[in-house]
Structures are given as structure tokens and as C-alpha cells.
Amino acid sequence: MAPSASLIDRIESIPRRELYFFALYRLLIASVISGLVFSPLAPLVGQPHHPALAAIVASSYLLLSVAMLVLGRSERWLQPIVLCGVGLDIVAASLLSHALPGASAGISMSLLFNIAAAATLLPLPLGLGLALAASAATAAEYVWRVVEGGAPSRTLAELAMFTTSYLALAFISFQVANRARRNQQLANQRGDEVANLFQINELIIRRMRTGVLVVDGQSRIHLANEAASSLLGDNDGHGGTGRMDLGSASPELVRRLQRWRNGWQQDESPLQLCPDQPEVQPRFARLLAGSNLTLVFLDDATVVSRRAESLTLSAMGRFSASLAHEIRNPLAAINYAVQLLEEEAQNFNESDRRLLQIIRQQCQRTNGIVESVLGLARRERANPENVDVVAAVRRFVLEYKQGLSLETDSVESIISETSVAAQIDPRHLHQILTALVHNALKYGRIGEQPARVRLRVARQDRNAVIDVMDRGPGIPEAVAAQLFRPFFTTSEHGTGLGLYIARELCRANQARLEYIAVPTGGACFRLVLPVPHTLLPS
């Protein structure tokens, strides 16, 4: 992974800071030497061998050190600045050691820091090169003193120790600095990765569909993601770090939180925090041990409900397989009994023969329903056929009226077209219309007035449309939004599967089942059927 811009900026700022302190140390040493040379403390360094040389070198070294401090802080010229600065230190140390024999040991020791600092900023070959230059300058000063005929300011053993120290310190300083730089780079990189992970986690939590709140012991909200803010009625839904009082937003949630903190039994019923928001299932968890901060998770109850519906439908599919066997056995017995009775039909009057026909038709219809439920549970594909919707609806209305005693209720067809073609499985179409008409007769009445159900066939945008209409009280908006959910019913005796199965059968046939609100009253369920596919002319 490439280092981020902030990491590069921090790494590049390190040499600038080191160059500054390096130049500050050089200025400090130059100031001390100048102070010893030009102040009354000069006798502390002994009798100078070359007073004029000492004065010239000390003053020049001080001025150049000031210039290096002011100008030499650019990373772009790092190596030239360090090389020039340490070269100046070596030359000044050699000349001052020769001019001030009493301070030669201290000056040579102060040069150790310069060599070490240069080795931390330069590549190893250049660092060792400066160490060799310092060793050579120390040896040259020793030879210069011997050539002049004076007593050497240091012994050969001291000269060897300084030379060895320069080389060893340069190598060790480079290794230590190199490891420190790698560790610093790794630490900065890990810091950036942690910061990126923090931002990713924050984004994930903010975008979660589950609401997340951080609440303190006084029921004040410290953090809230977008889902939680929306559930609490924040129209912006941005989340944030406010200190809103949870009690003012949802007293019931605070009550459940206090019960959880007290270790009491939890209320598992869904909770609606805002009138326009879905119900939620709150869960609580302590953020840290010994802390009064609590994590509150607000799970969307509709998601949990859909999962429960999925599990229930899966169980229903397994149950329907065994139930089909139990239903088919009595159906087979009834069909067999009808066949035996039909053999004696010549002894029956017309009304008795009509009753036998109704029994046979209803047995076939019941068997078809069992087959459709099994197919839905097994997700079997429909077998769509080209169907004349006008003829199918007329035949359905006739059979429905013959099969059921409607008494005062009525089921009629309203058809202005002579023929409307569509593509659908005929068995599924019959089952869908049966469910819709049954619901219309059951719920589409006002008080004790008879129910009036109308089936209208028409064309719409090249599709075949069947409208099942009643003149009842209509369906409230809150109920209409959940009409096609499985197991949703407003009746104590209903299963809530009729409209769900009807819509699933429509989907299996590439059709649509919609509820259409009627402003003048009543309800309308619209079945939109695809037209048969035709071959385009070549």
C-alpha cells in the first residue's frame, strides 16, 4: 500500500528538524570556542601555539556557523549542506587543535558528535568518508606539529583511539538512525492505517440500517448514526455527536434502558420511536467495563418480521407436502363416489345431476388449489398458455355463480371487447380470480347490504387488464401498504395467504397484481397480464 500524503510530509519534516538542531549545536560549539579565545577565560585552555590563527579560525567558524543555521535547513540540499557543514567542522577542529594545544582533546571529542550526526543524515559511504576525513585531519595535525618541531599535543595511542572512534561511531550511528527511520516510517504508516480503518468503520456504522446510539448514565446521546437519527425523528438523519436527551426523544426507550441496567426482564415487543418511522426492536450492550456508556442497537422490526415470514413460508412449504396427501385422499374418495353416482344418473332428475356436476367441479378446483400451493412451495415454473381473457372471465363468472349460492350478492362481468389475448397459466388465472372475488364478496360490503362484485376486462398499453371491483368501504392506507404480505389479515378467521399466493402466482406468470384506490369508494384489484409473444416479420 502506498504511503499517504500525511505520512510523506511527516517523514520529510524529520531531516529539516535534525538539520536545525545540528546547526544549533555547531553554533553552540563555535560560541564556546570564541568565548574561550576572546574572553578573560582564555588562560583556561592554556598557552595558544598560534594566537592569531586561533582568533581568525574561531571568529570565522562562528560566522559560518551562524550562516549555516540561517541558510542550511533545506531538505533539497541535504547532502551538500551536511557535507559542507561537517567539512567546516573538521577543518576548524584541526586548525583550532593545532593553535590551541591545551584544548585539542576537547575539540576532537566535540567532533565525535558532528561525525555521528552526519552519519545519521547521510548514506553509509558518505558517513564513513567523513569519518575517514576527520581521522586524516587529526593525523595531519599531528604530523604538522611534529614537522614544526614542537611537542605533539596528543600521543599516538590517543590518535589511534580518536581515529577508531570516528569510524565506529559513524557506522553505529548510521545503523541506529536507519533503524529509527524505518520504525518511524512503520509507526506513521500504521497510524495512517488505523486512521483509515477508523474512517471506514465510522462510515460503515453511519450507513448501517441498524440504528446505533451511545448513551451515558444520564440518558444523554453521545453518538448516533444516520439510521438512529432518522428513527428518532431527525429529518436530516446525519447522525452526530450531540448531547440530546434520549428521554425527550423516546421516554419508552429510556424506560427499557433503565430496566436493562437494573437487570430486570426485558420487554421484547417492538417499539415505534417516531410516528412516521418503522417499529424497532431495541437491544442494549455495555460499551466498556466500568463505564456508564451503553450501546443501544435499534433493529428494524420489519426486517426481523420478513425473516420470520421467510422461515414460516419455508415451514409451510414442508408442511404442505404432507398436507396435500391428506387432502387428496378424501378428494379421490369423493370423486370416486361421484363417478359411481353418475353411472346411475338416468334415475336422477335434472337438479340432482346438476348437484353431481357441481361436486365434481369443486373437487377438481380443490385439487388444483392443492397443486398450486405445492408448486408455489417448490417454486415450480408456471406453464403459460395463450388465453382468451374475455372467454376465461365469462366462464369463471358462470362457474362461480353456479358453484356458490350467492343469494343477494352478485358477481358480474363487464366486457366491451370481443376478444383479449394474454399469456398465463389457466389454472393460475382461475385461482387468482377466485381469491380476489372471494375477498371482494367477504369484505366488499357496507353493513348488511349485498355485495356487488364486477370483473372488467380491457386493454392497457398493449397488456390485458382484469379489474376486480367492489362497492365496499374501501381499504385504509395503512392496511393497503401490507395487503400482499404473507400472514397479514384483518379477519380473525383468515390466514393472510390469499393475496400473497395470488401475487406470487402472478409473478410466476410475468404478470402483476396491484391494488388501485377508488376515490368514490370501494376497492379495485388490477391484474395486468402479458400479451402473447408474436414473431416479427423477417
Side-chain angles (χ1 to χ4, degrees), residues 475-487:
I475 301 176
E477 292 184 5
V479 176
Q482 307 180 70
L483 279 175
F484 299 103
R485 287 181 54 187
F487 309 108

Side-chain angles (χ1 to χ4, degrees), residues 169-226:
L169 190 59
F171 180 78
I172 294 173
S173 298
F174 171 79
Q175 297 296 333
V176 172
N178 191 38
R179 177 171 297 182
R181 276 193 292 267
R182 289 200 303 268
N183 291 339
Q184 180 68 31
Q185 182 175 358
L186 181 60
N188 292 333
Q189 183 175 344
R190 292 291 184 267
D192 287 344
E193 291 176 356
V194 170
N196 292 337
L197 288 176
F198 175 79
Q199 294 178 357
I200 293 173
N201 291 335
E202 185 180 13
L203 179 61
I204 292 174
I205 293 174
R206 190 167 61 246
R207 297 294 185 180
M208 282 174 56
R209 294 189 61 183
T210 298
V212 181
L213 297 172
V214 178
V215 183
D216 62 14
Q218 288 73 39
S219 299
R220 291 177 301 181
I221 301 175
H222 284 242
L223 290 172
N225 66 347
E226 292 180 1

Side-chain angles (χ1 to χ4, degrees), residues 245-325:
D245 184 15
L246 183 60
S248 61
S250 177
E252 176 62 20
L253 183 59
V254 173
R255 186 188 67 82
R256 296 193 185 188
L257 176 59
Q258 292 299 332
R259 289 178 60 88
W260 174 80
R261 286 172 174 168
N262 295 333
W264 297 348
Q265 185 177 2
Q266 292 297 303
D267 187 355
E268 301 295 338
S269 61
L271 173 66
Q272 190 172 29
L273 303 179
C274 187
D276 298 332
Q277 296 297 329
E279 292 182 335
V280 296
Q281 185 73 46
R283 294 183 292 115
F284 308 102
R286 196 169 299 279
L287 184 59
L288 297 172
S291 172
N292 65 345
L293 295 178
T294 304
L295 277 175
V296 180
F297 298 96
L298 304 175
D299 297 320
D300 191 342
T302 58
V303 177
V304 179
S305 176
R306 283 195 293 269
R307 292 175 182 172
E309 290 170 0
S310 177
L311 293 175
T312 305
L313 290 173
S314 177
M316 186 190 71
R318 294 190 296 268
F319 174 73
S320 61
S322 60
L323 182 63
H325 177 72

Side-chain angles (χ1 to χ4, degrees), residues 90-113:
I90 293 173
V91 172
S94 301
L95 294 177
L96 289 172
S97 296
H98 187 75
L100 302 172
S104 60
I107 294 173
S108 297
M109 291 181 64
S110 67
L111 190 59
L112 288 171
F113 177 83

